[in-house]
Amino acid sequence: MRSIITGTHIVKTYGKGAEQANALNGIDVEIAEGEFVAVMGPSGSGKTTLLFALSGMDEITEGNVRFGDTELAGLRETALADLRRTRMGFIFQQPTMLRNLNLLDNIMLPAVQDGKRNTAELASKARQLMIQTGIAGLEDRDTTEVSGGQLQRAGICRALMNTPEILFADEPTGALNSKTAEEIMELLVAINQAGTAIMLVTHDARVAARADRVLFTGDGKIVSGLTLPRFSGGDLEARGEKVLAGMAAAGI
Ligand SMILES: Nc1ncnc2c1ncn2[C@@H]1O[C@H](COP(=O)(O)OP(=O)(O)O)[C@@H](O)[C@H]1O
Ligand SMILES: [Mg+2]
């Protein structure tokens, strides 16, 4: 398998002098094309920092990160921003949407910012994604007139607008009830099965149970990992048990 992201000896230090602390303490990690990797660990163990480091959202202090064959640190800021916008997608616990735009326009926004692309074509792509994610009909809604689950679906649409090769998701189900979380996970699994790699941070064993691999973090390191057979819909309980056992072994 070719790797899409390779992180080598990543160190991330925040602060200066006596305040200095390592959020990441020498991390080696590789994500294969199309792979689904979950990241679990205690609060403050470096999960979000790792996601930011691997996606080039944040500069690292030591080590390096490659996207395919491209070293992120070697790119100018605009080239890095282009790479992030066109080849990566991001989903957060709560999608930040502009309140003065309707759902459709919010979904299109990052793609429209490209400037050189055809707006009608983008609108048609956005509408198609809204159908796929089950929120067709909400195009004209205000972002305050939809449920948390619908808003997260819109966030997923927005992340998929440029057909990314990898989706980074930081606790995407963290603010949702368990039924809605399950629906969002079904959607993410379908996206992954269509070929998009996923790196997803979660506290929920049942969410991580869909992954090919679970990485457990502690004090800025990856303390252990768990490999699961490729998920094909069934077996969620047994997979969840394995994840829980992995968490216990990692002291989470
Ligand atoms: N911008 C920042 N400035 C200073 N310290 C930070 C910053 N972001 C994160 N940290 C620290 O880095 C460590 C890892 O944080 P984070 O990656 O957010 O953990 P997690 O996502 O696992 O909860 C924590 O100790 C946190 O306090
Ligand atoms: Mg976090």
Side-chain angles (χ1 to χ4, degrees):
M1 264 298 208
R2 295 215 340 242
S3 81
I4 182 163
I5 301 273
T6 312
T8 312
H9 303 312
I10 302 172
V11 174
K12 174 69 184 183
T13 307
Y14 285 116
K16 289 206 169 89
E19 304 278 284
Q20 198 166 313
N22 282 353
L24 300 178
N25 245 316
I27 286 195
D28 291 297
V29 62
E30 203 170 338
I31 301 174
E33 285 180 348
E35 192 182 16
F36 182 169
V37 176
V39 181
M40 304 188 86
S43 185
S45 63
K47 304 180 297 296
T48 295
T49 306
L50 179 62
L51 193 145
F52 275 47
L54 295 179
S55 59
M57 297 248 281
D58 219 349
E59 272 180 34
I60 56 178
T61 312
E62 286 173 36
N64 78 78
V65 176
R66 279 184 291 127
F67 183 92
D69 295 328
T70 306
E71 185 168 343
L72 297 188
L75 297 175
R76 288 168 180 272
E77 190 49 50
T78 49
L80 180 59
D82 280 352
L83 187 150
R84 272 200 306 265
R85 201 181 54 249
T86 58
R87 302 180 71 182
M88 303 176 183
F90 296 89
I91 310 170
F92 301 99
Q93 194 170 69
Q94 317 241 3
T96 29
M97 299 274 177
L98 295 182
R99 297 188 70 161
N100 56 334
L101 294 183
N102 68 24
L103 221 49
L104 180 73
D105 289 338
N106 263 292
I107 290 168
M108 287 171 59
L109 192 61
V112 169
Q113 283 169 341
D114 249 352
K116 43 190 178 297
R117 297 180 55 191
N118 181 318
T119 313
E121 220 169 84
L122 292 177
S124 134
K125 166 109 189 182
R127 287 177 193 281
Q128 192 195 328
L129 285 167
M130 290 180 80
I131 294 169
Q132 274 169 29
T133 56
I135 50 170
L138 304 182
E139 291 79 1
D140 298 330
R141 290 280 182 92
D142 225 78
T143 56
T144 53
E145 295 170 340
V146 297
S147 71
Q150 289 167 334
L151 199 63
Q152 190 56 294
R153 286 169 196 270
I156 293 171
C157 290
R158 188 176 59 183
L160 293 177
M161 274 303 288
N162 289 328
T163 323
E165 290 154 65
I166 182 165
L167 266 186
F168 291 97
D170 197 354
E171 304 193 32
T173 62
L176 305 174
N177 65 45
S178 57
K179 180 171 174 288
T180 309
E182 289 286 314
E183 291 167 3
I184 292 296
M185 283 316 297
E186 278 170 27
L187 194 54
L188 291 180
V189 164
I191 290 163
N192 175 243
Q193 282 169 350
T196 308
I198 295 181
M199 180 187 178
L200 177 152
V201 174
T202 183
H203 289 287
D204 186 341
R206 209 176 150 84
V207 166
R210 273 96 168 176
D212 298 311
R213 200 148 56 95
V214 187
L215 303 176
F216 299 101
T217 56
D219 289 334
K221 292 194 165 168
I222 293 172
V223 294
S224 56
L226 171 74
T227 303
L228 295 165
R230 184 93 178 138
F231 181 58
S232 57
D235 230 22
L236 209 47
E237 296 301 324
R239 298 173 69 97
E241 293 296 325
K242 282 189 190 160
V243 175
L244 285 172
M247 290 170 72
I252 299 166

